[in-house]
Every structure is written in C-alpha cells, then in structure tokens.
Amino acid sequence: MYHSVDHPTADPYNITVSRRRLEEQLRWLRDRGLRGVSLGEMLAAHAAGRSAGLVGLTFDDGYTDFLTGAVPLLHRYDCTATVFVLPGLLGGFNDWDPLGPRKPLLTGHGVRAVAAAGMEVGSHGMYHRSLRGLRETDLRAELEESRDRLADICGTPPAGFCYPYGDVDEAAVAMAREVGYDYACSINPGPLTGRWALPRAHVGQRDTAARLWAKRVLHPLRRRAVTVTGGSETGSRPPRARGAAGAGPYRAGGRPPAMPYGTDVPAAPPPPADPPRLAVPQPAADPAPVAVTEAAGDRGRQAAPQSRRTAGGARRGAGRPRDAGASAGAPARPDGATVRAAGAVVARAAAAPADGGTALPGHDGPPADAADRGHPVRQRGDL
C-alpha cells in the first residue's frame, strides 16, 4: 500500500516515498521472482490458480505524482498497480491531512491517462471521509456516487474500492457489495477480513530490503488468511441492517446530477467540525481568611487545635498547660501589639510567662514569649 511518490520532505504521516526508494523496492521484488500487479489482476489470477509470484500494488488518494513518478517506474519493471482516486476532489488537494504538505490530486484527464497506461482505477470514496458509523444515505453516496462518476470518466465502472483511513465496519462492507464492487481494501480489518475487506501492508520511505522481507514474513501471521473464489468469499458474514438515513453532504432527493464524461469536479468543503466542548465549571476558591481578634482580658482562651512546627521543625505543644501562677500577678503586655498570621491581623494582648509560651491559633511563628525576651517577631510574610 503506497500513497505519494515524491520528495519525502516534511511528511509527518509517512505517506511519501521517493522515486529512488520505489525503484529499489520494485527491484527487490524482481530479484526474488515476484512481480507487482493491480489487485484486479491478482484476484483474477488467483481465481484461475495462477497467482504464484504476484504481489498486489495499490496507491491510495490518487495523487498527481502517481502518473508522473510511479507509472514510469512500474513500466520499467513490468508492473501494474491499482490507484484509488477521489472523484469528488479531482484537481484538488489532500486537505484531509492538516499537518502534511499540500499535494495535488489527479484531474479527470489524469485519471484517463492512468487507465490508458494500463493501470487499474478504483474508488476511494467521494471526499476521503471515514465510512465507519456513517448513516445509510451518506454511506451510499460515498460508495455508489463515486463509482458512477468514475464510470463516466473511464467508460467502465471501477471494480475495486478502498476505505478511506482504512476505517471499515459491517455496514460499509455490506454497502460495497450491494452497489456492485467486486472487491474492497482496508488495512487491518480484523474479523471483517474478506473479499470486501482485504488487508494490506503499508510501504514507505523507510522500508529497505530488510524491512520488506520482515513485512512479507509477518503479513500472513498478523492477518487471517483470505479465501476468494469468483465473486464470493468463504466465511463471509450476512449483511447487517444499517441505520436510518440522515443529514450529510447528500440528502434524500438532493444528489448532484450525473457528471459529464471527463469533467473535473471542484473540491467540496470538508465535513463540519465537531462543536467545541463546553467549559467545565471550576470549584469556587476558598474564602479569604477572616481577621481574628483576641481580647486584652481574655486570659483563659483555648490553644490551637493542632500542634505547630517552627521553621526549624521543632514541635511546640498547642495545648501545653501553664504554670499555676501564670494567671495571677503576671504583668500584661500593652494592648495593640500585633502580628500577621495567614493574611489576618491578630491583636495579641495577654502574654504568657517566659517559661510557658503558647502558639496563637492560625499562627506558625515563634511563641508569645519571644517578644518578652527582646527578640523581634518575624513571620513568613515579613521575610
């Protein structure tokens, strides 16, 4: 599974392979007795029992560089390939890749030139939309309308379909069969693997000979074997009922008229983006601390409920009892001595004796007797 054949610069999606690397990979196939062919040719050879040594080559998205870069190399190594194009975006650009470089897509004339060069043309949907979970009306438009438009361009309807992004579900598989495709491709379809959900391995610029050998060995181990005979598949599941028709680029009775033969279709606007998420309300901030005032004559107040630690880590008991004579005859400090604690102003009036300091509620500073000893009282906010 290839995409673009160009200079692989600024390519975060790893969809570009240089012409030199593609030639090395085609030479690697030839040196091992393998030959790259289109999927239609490979499936026909498989049905006739002549598929030994054939490798299916696909190029997704229908870039212009497939005609200018890949086709000459495919002819040089006697290979063919399938290119999956977007008839709703002919002559446009790969706007579905927001981070990658803008690459031009084939026009109607380019699609006919690719077919005339012996390559198979398949459908990649109308607008490179993911088909997983689409409503029936939109799903049918992507698969059936794209097939009809390619039939107008090439003269015959395409046999193959490729699910954009590799996204596939049972409804998409059933629709691909219903509208008349002979096969369809995905990447890792899992339990849906079958003729209308063929697995493929990505090939990029970093795939040297060693990596190609590893992918060839691991491919049958990672994916369930597919049995395809004629127009049926072994072990296929019955079609699943699809959802009701709904809104989309195509509505009931609103399908665009048939495109004249070879006419390029202007690029359509991308599907609307998901609505922005609503802001999640944040919890209200804690209220500002309230100023606490200690009355000058309140000598019997309670100590702080929790023990405090000084800056050096020493524990001071919040509820340590005072001496028996502390409540009688002790000189009181003048009213108005203040300290700052947690943003609140605490007026301290009642002082304790030098040997029985007590921490104030909500205050992590030194004990009350520090001021009596002549030491300045400092708080974290004063540093």
Side-chain angles (χ1 to χ4, degrees):
M1 176 183 67
Y2 291 92
H3 288 80
S4 172
V5 182
D6 199 355
H7 300 291
T9 58
D11 184 14
Y13 301 105
N14 193 28
I15 63 172
T16 308
V17 60
S18 66
R19 295 187 59 179
R20 179 178 179 180
R21 180 67 76 194
L22 176 60
E23 184 171 11
E24 292 175 354
Q25 293 164 349
L26 295 177
R27 187 185 304 118
W28 184 88
L29 293 176
R30 184 191 63 184
D31 293 345
R32 284 153 183 79
L34 305 173
R35 185 170 71 92
V37 297
S38 66
L39 284 186
E41 182 179 349
M42 187 183 69
L43 292 174
H46 180 83
R50 298 182 285 102
S51 61
L54 299 183
V55 178
L57 300 180
T58 62
F59 290 78
D60 291 5
D61 302 338
Y63 295 106
T64 300
D65 55 45
F66 173 77
L67 180 61
T68 59
V71 169
L73 292 176
L74 293 171
H75 284 169
R76 181 180 304 175
Y77 288 88
D78 192 26
C79 295
T80 60
T82 301
V83 56
F84 294 107
V85 302
L86 297 153
L89 298 175
L90 295 178
F93 295 88
N94 58 327
D95 294 330
W96 59 86
D97 289 335
L99 302 181
R102 296 283 74 86
K103 294 176 177 289
L105 305 177
L106 288 169
T107 64
H109 297 289
V111 172
R112 288 196 300 274
V114 166
M119 306 298 156
E120 181 186 21
V121 176
S123 171
H124 203 26
M126 289 293 294
Y127 303 111
H128 206 282
R129 297 178 62 188
S130 172
L131 304 186
R132 184 181 298 166
L134 277 187
R135 297 174 180 177
E136 182 178 5
T137 302
D138 299 338
L139 187 60
R140 181 178 295 276
E142 287 289 330
L143 281 88
E144 187 174 39
E145 188 67 23
S146 63
R147 188 170 186 265
D148 293 343
R149 292 199 178 190
L150 287 178
D152 290 338
I153 294 176
C154 300
T156 56
F161 182 84
C162 177
Y163 302 101
Y165 306 105
D167 292 344
V168 60
D169 56 15
E170 293 183 358
V173 170
M175 183 64 73
R177 298 177 60 179
E178 181 181 331
V179 302
Y181 288 103
D182 184 59
Y183 69 89
C185 296
S186 181
I187 301 176
N188 295 315
L192 295 175
T193 298
R195 189 180 185 95
W196 285 273
L198 295 171
R200 297 177 298 167
H202 171 77
V203 181
Q205 180 67 15
R206 295 176 293 180
D207 289 319
T208 58
R211 288 173 61 94
L212 288 177
W213 178 86
K215 288 186 176 183
R216 183 187 179 190
V217 172
L218 295 176
H219 183 77
L221 300 179
R222 294 172 54 195
R223 297 164 174 87
R224 180 172 62 85
V226 181
T227 302
V228 287
T229 57
S232 62
E233 59 175 304
T234 301
S236 60
R237 297 185 178 186
R240 184 179 179 181
R242 294 179 294 275
Y250 295 93
R251 302 177 186 273
R255 294 171 57 185
M259 181 180 64
Y261 179 85
T263 302
D264 294 343
V265 180
D274 295 335
R277 296 184 177 181
L278 298 177
V280 179
Q282 301 295 327
D286 295 336
V290 182
V292 180
T293 305
E294 179 183 331
D298 184 9
R299 298 181 180 274
R301 59 178 177 81
Q302 297 295 328
Q306 298 179 355
S307 62
R308 307 295 181 181
R309 292 181 180 271
T310 62
R315 179 181 293 275
R316 295 188 177 277
R320 188 168 53 188
R322 300 184 180 185
D323 293 341
S327 58
R333 272 210 319 264
D335 295 342
T338 59
V339 295
R340 295 182 179 273
V345 177
V346 181
R348 296 169 49 193
D355 58 351
T358 303
L360 293 176
H363 173 50
D364 289 336
D369 57 351
D372 296 336
R373 296 171 185 163
H375 299 293
V377 178
R378 291 187 178 180
Q379 302 299 323
R380 284 195 293 267
D382 298 329
L383 297 180

